[in-house]
Amino acid sequence: MKNSYRKQLFYNFFILFFLFILSVIIFQYQREVQSKRESLENTLDNYASIIDNVIQKRWDEKKDRIDPLKQFLDLIPDKELRVTVIDDHGHVRFDNRYNDFFEMDNHKDRPEVLAALKRGKGSSIRFSNSLNKEFYYYARSFPNYIVRAALPYDTTTINILKVDNLFFYSMSSLFVVVLFLLYFLTGQMGASVSRLRNFAVVASSNRSIAGLDMDFPSSELGDISKKIVEMYSTIQHHNEKLETEKKKLYDHLHVLQSGLAVFSSDKSEILSNSLFLMFASTMSSRSIRKSEDFFKIEEVRPIIDFIEGKQNGASISEFSKEKLQVSKFGKIFNIQAIVFSDNSFEITIQDVSEQEQARKLKREITGNLAHELKTPVTTVQGYLETILENQDMDTKQLFFFLDRAFKQTQRLGELISDISLLSKIEEAEHLYQKEELYPYEIVHRVLHDLDYNIKEKEKEVSLRIDSEVKFKGNQGLVYAIFRNLVENAIKYGGEKISIQLIKETDDDILFRLYDNGSGVEESHLARLFERFYRVDEGRNRRIGGTGLGLAIVKNAVLMHKGTIAVKNRNNGGLEFLFSFKKS
């Protein structure tokens, strides 16, 4: 487990300050030791100088130098002082603590003597074999001899050389105080860094910083930390807005009715929706696994050439676009490519098969409608012109032409009424209110309204619908469904017509209406529900009708969420099967 920043900072400062204090203590200790030693050696050096003066005086007077030395040393208060005079060859010439000093060993190899011979003075602490005691020796070189002064290295001398502990107590106290200050200061810095670290951990995972302790101190570090947090908050706010817009974009892509893909300049996909891949697969004769496979489709080569031409050509100010229509496998696609200024580009694919079919159907309907309207209008116009040009026409013939013209206007009115009804079903289904209906009652009313036609054509109609059966629908449209089918059977079917409820479930009811006529050729069955489609153009015109009845039936059934189909019966006649949702 990692140490906290505060601990690391405290440990680092502690080690630095400890090393500093230790260095100061060692340095000061050495100075104190040196100072004490120099003080002691100065005292011993003074003794050596005085002894030298005594020796020199007696030397000049060429008198005995030993006795005066003893007399002088007897007068010194420090009775523990040991004085030794050694010649340049190391022979002891005087020692006030050893009577037989002439028999003493040569002292030339003594450390303090060697130092005095080399540097003029020297000192050492060592054990004296002659006196069986440890001494602090100080030797000073003079012309022709060396004077050595020594004190027993006992408690008194040790205390003289002992370093004063007050300094160490002061440094220890200072060390403790500084430690407390360090602990406080590193605590403040560590808290700031810890908060900043917690912020960095949260920020690195792109999470919200709400609830984090952001109480930074008023210092440079605190100011920097606050600025970082402010910048992150601003960036996070912009990122949230960007994510919202990005989500809108992706939602739009996936509900878009067109296939869309955006590519980089090297044809790598940046983004796309599923429809792009689906439409590309539909256009291609080979397997399409990814959006980049679009560029392998031979039919879109003009689009690819356009993109590559723009990328390799002159600079693009804003964007350039190209359109292409591709027909493949019964589908029609409009493709558009837009090349942007950075040579990235966008390709959209739109399935316009239904629109093209609708446009084609609209052209056909317009043509058929013009044809259907032209016939009665021309007929009426012809009869009226005849009447106007023959004003002396007898009354019987006049009424004959007027009757024919009137019937044509009736046919024209029926045609306009059927067109209006069909358009309303297709384009304004919401205008039709649904209510609870009893199909038995509706069919019974249809048969009553068509009773004259049924009797005139000598038709026999059987009705097998339970009077209790009901469903929710629009009464006018359901009436139109049954009326058109019955009228169609009366005009073109056999002498027997049957209307039956053949199945009822919790969700649907299924009806069958058929006759025992000759039916129609199989090639015509698939087109019976088309507008203005006629199996026998000449016969239909003679019998009458607008050519829209079965188209109205189909659209009205679909509006009730039902289905309808037609077939030839095995024993003759045409059979319609159609259903309604109950609700």
Side-chain angles (χ1 to χ4, degrees):
M1 181 178 179
K2 291 184 177 179
N3 289 326
S4 67
Y5 178 78
R6 175 184 180 175
K7 288 182 180 179
Q8 292 180 357
L9 193 64
F10 179 77
Y11 289 154
N12 290 336
F13 278 124
F14 173 82
I15 291 171
L16 287 174
F17 188 68
F18 175 78
L19 292 175
F20 171 74
I21 291 294
L22 184 62
S23 300
V24 171
I25 290 174
I26 292 172
F27 175 75
Q28 188 63 28
Y29 176 78
Q30 290 177 341
R31 286 191 62 187
E32 286 288 323
V33 169
Q34 184 66 24
S35 175
K36 295 289 184 179
R37 192 165 183 169
E38 286 178 355
S39 176
L40 178 60
E41 289 182 357
N42 284 337
T43 301
L44 296 177
D45 187 76
N46 289 334
Y47 284 132
S49 297
I50 294 170
I51 291 170
D52 175 62
N53 288 333
V54 172
I55 293 173
Q56 288 296 332
K57 184 177 180 182
R58 302 300 291 178
W59 194 292
D60 293 339
E61 294 175 358
K62 297 182 180 181
K63 295 180 179 180
D64 179 35
R65 293 182 289 274
I66 301 302
D67 291 337
L69 277 178
K70 287 181 179 182
Q71 294 172 5
F72 171 74
L73 292 174
D74 289 337
L75 297 175
I76 294 176
D78 194 350
K79 301 303 179 181
E80 297 294 326
L81 180 66
R82 180 185 179 184
V83 176
T84 307
V85 179
I86 305 165
D87 64 20
D88 292 339
H89 299 290
H91 300 295
V92 177
R93 297 305 179 187
F94 173 78
D95 191 307
N96 64 331
R97 295 294 178 189
Y98 196 78
N99 294 326
D100 298 329
F101 52 81
F102 288 108
E103 297 178 2
M104 294 177 68
D105 296 335
N106 192 292
H107 280 41
K108 195 172 184 177
D109 60 347
R110 300 297 191 268
E112 65 278 8
V113 175
L114 288 174
L117 290 173
K118 289 181 179 179
R119 298 188 296 274
K121 58 183 177 179
S123 62
S124 68
I125 300 172
R126 58 183 181 79
F127 188 81
S128 173
N129 292 322
S130 56
L131 297 179
N132 199 26
K133 186 186 292 187
E134 193 172 21
F135 281 91
Y136 186 97
Y137 292 103
Y138 175 80
R140 180 178 174 182
S141 177
F142 294 98
N144 302 318
Y145 55 85
I146 295 170
V147 176
R148 187 180 71 179
L151 289 173
Y153 194 68
D154 53 12
T155 305
T156 303
T157 306
I158 291 173
N159 287 332
I160 292 173
L161 294 175
K162 188 176 180 180
V163 177
D164 188 2
N165 292 328
L166 179 61
F167 171 77
F168 300 105
Y169 295 146
S170 301
M171 294 304 294
S172 299
S173 300
L174 177 62
F175 183 73
V176 172
V177 171
V178 171
L179 280 184
F180 277 112
L181 290 175
L182 280 177
Y183 185 81
F184 174 74
L185 293 175
T186 55
Q188 284 192 326
M189 293 182 65
S192 297
V193 174
S194 178
R195 293 188 187 104
L196 192 59
R197 177 184 174 277
N198 293 336
F199 159 76
V201 170
V202 172
S204 65
S205 59
N206 202 26
R207 290 180 287 153
S208 173
I209 60 173
L212 286 181
D213 183 6
M214 293 295 157
D215 186 20
F216 295 106
S218 299
S219 62
E220 287 83 355
L221 179 60
D223 291 340
I224 293 172
S225 301
K226 290 174 183 176
K227 287 295 181 183
I228 292 173
V229 172
E230 287 175 8
M231 287 189 291
Y232 176 77
S233 298
T234 303
I235 292 171
Q236 192 177 46
H237 175 68
H238 288 306
N239 284 341
E240 287 173 358
K241 292 178 67 176
L242 190 62
E243 282 298 320
T244 301
E245 295 301 319
K246 184 179 178 182
K247 186 178 183 301
K248 289 180 183 177
L249 174 62
Y250 276 99
D251 289 343
H252 174 70
L253 278 179
H254 290 296
V255 300
L256 199 63
Q257 296 302 309
S258 302
L260 184 143
V262 179
F263 298 90
S264 61
S265 58
D266 61 352
K267 296 187 176 70
S268 298
E269 179 193 317
I270 297 174
L271 61 88
S272 68
N273 62 3
S274 56
L275 277 180
F276 183 86
L277 195 61
M278 186 177 76
F279 289 162
S281 299
T282 304
M283 282 191 293
S284 177
S285 55
R286 64 176 69 186
S287 176
I288 298 292
R289 300 179 183 274
K290 53 186 179 179
S291 298
E292 287 86 347
D293 292 339
F294 171 85
F295 304 104
K296 299 177 182 178
I297 302 173
E298 189 58 36
E299 286 76 8
V300 301
R301 173 50 57 184
I303 287 288
I304 300 172
D305 291 340
F306 164 76
I307 293 169
E308 292 175 349
K310 286 296 179 182
Q311 289 179 336
N312 297 327
S315 61
I316 304 170
S317 57
E318 292 183 0
F319 62 84
S320 301
K321 62 182 178 179
E322 177 76 357
K323 293 182 179 180
L324 175 70
Q325 189 172 89
V326 174
S327 299
K328 195 76 176 287
F329 303 119
K331 291 284 188 178
I332 302 173
F333 298 99
N334 282 343
I335 305 172
Q336 177 176 278
I338 298 176
V339 182
F340 302 105
S341 57
D342 61 350
N343 280 335
S344 63
F345 56 93
E346 169 192 293
I347 297 176
T348 55
I349 307 174
Q350 187 176 13
D351 185 356
V352 295
S353 305
E354 291 185 4
Q355 293 93 315
E356 290 296 323
Q357 290 173 0
R359 192 177 293 110
K360 181 180 178 183
L361 181 60
K362 186 176 180 180
R363 288 197 300 269
E364 291 177 356
I365 291 173
T366 303
N368 290 333
L369 183 58
H371 180 70
E372 292 295 329
L373 290 173
K374 182 179 180 181
T375 301
V377 169
T378 303
T379 303
V380 171
Q381 185 179 4
Y383 286 133
L384 292 177
E385 284 179 358
T386 302
I387 293 171
L388 290 173
E389 291 174 0
N390 298 278
Q391 296 184 8
D392 56 349
M393 184 183 299
D394 61 76
T395 304
K396 184 178 179 181
Q397 191 174 14
L398 175 63
F399 275 98
F400 173 79
F401 282 120
L402 289 174
D403 179 66
R404 290 295 180 90
F406 176 72
K407 287 182 179 178
Q408 290 299 321
T409 59
Q410 280 185 316
R411 181 167 177 263
L412 187 60
E414 290 174 0
L415 180 61
I416 293 172
S417 177
D418 284 350
I419 291 172
S420 176
L421 177 61
L422 191 58
S423 298
K424 188 177 178 182
I425 294 172
E426 290 180 339
E427 299 176 7
E429 292 182 6
H430 61 282
L431 297 178
Y432 290 97
Q433 301 297 320
K434 290 186 177 181
E435 57 184 309
E436 197 170 77
L437 304 177
Y438 289 88
Y440 175 82
E441 295 178 359
I442 294 175
V443 176
H444 198 271
R445 183 155 56 89
V446 169
L447 296 177
H448 179 269
D449 293 342
L450 296 174
D451 182 63
Y452 175 79
N453 304 73
I454 292 171
K455 288 179 179 178
E456 183 185 27
K457 297 291 185 178
E458 298 180 350
K459 301 293 182 179
E460 180 184 335
V461 181
S462 64
L463 177 62
R464 286 189 289 175
I465 299 176
D466 189 343
S467 61
E468 300 299 321
V469 173
K470 60 184 178 180
F471 70 99
K472 291 194 73 172
N474 180 267
Q475 185 165 248
L477 291 182
V478 174
Y479 176 86
I481 292 169
F482 282 104
R483 176 162 184 144
N484 276 291
L485 290 175
V486 172
E487 279 187 329
N488 197 69
I490 292 171
K491 290 177 183 178
Y492 310 116
E495 69 276 6
K496 291 185 179 181
I497 301 170
S498 179
I499 307 169
Q500 302 173 1
L501 172 64
I502 60 175
K503 188 175 182 181
E504 179 184 9
T505 67
D506 293 337
D507 299 320
D508 306 277
I509 50 176
L510 178 63
F511 294 92
R512 175 166 58 195
L513 189 152
Y514 66 89
D515 64 77
N516 63 344
S518 59
V520 299
E521 294 181 9
E522 292 292 329
S523 60
H524 296 294
L525 285 177
R527 302 189 62 187
L528 283 182
F529 296 107
E530 292 182 12
R531 303 179 193 192
F532 304 114
Y533 184 75
R534 301 179 188 275
V535 176
D536 186 338
E537 189 74 24
R539 186 184 70 165
N540 281 293
R541 297 226 178 263
R542 291 193 303 272
I543 295 175
T546 62
L548 296 173
L550 291 181
I552 291 172
V553 169
K554 178 181 178 181
N555 282 275
V557 169
L558 293 176
M559 201 213 78
H560 285 83
K561 299 179 182 177
T563 59
I564 187 168
V566 61
K567 67 176 183 176
N568 284 317
R569 291 172 58 81
N570 292 333
N571 52 355
L574 201 63
E575 179 178 309
F576 290 89
L577 291 167
F578 55 98
S579 66
F580 299 100
K581 286 287 183 182
K582 278 192 170 182
S583 59

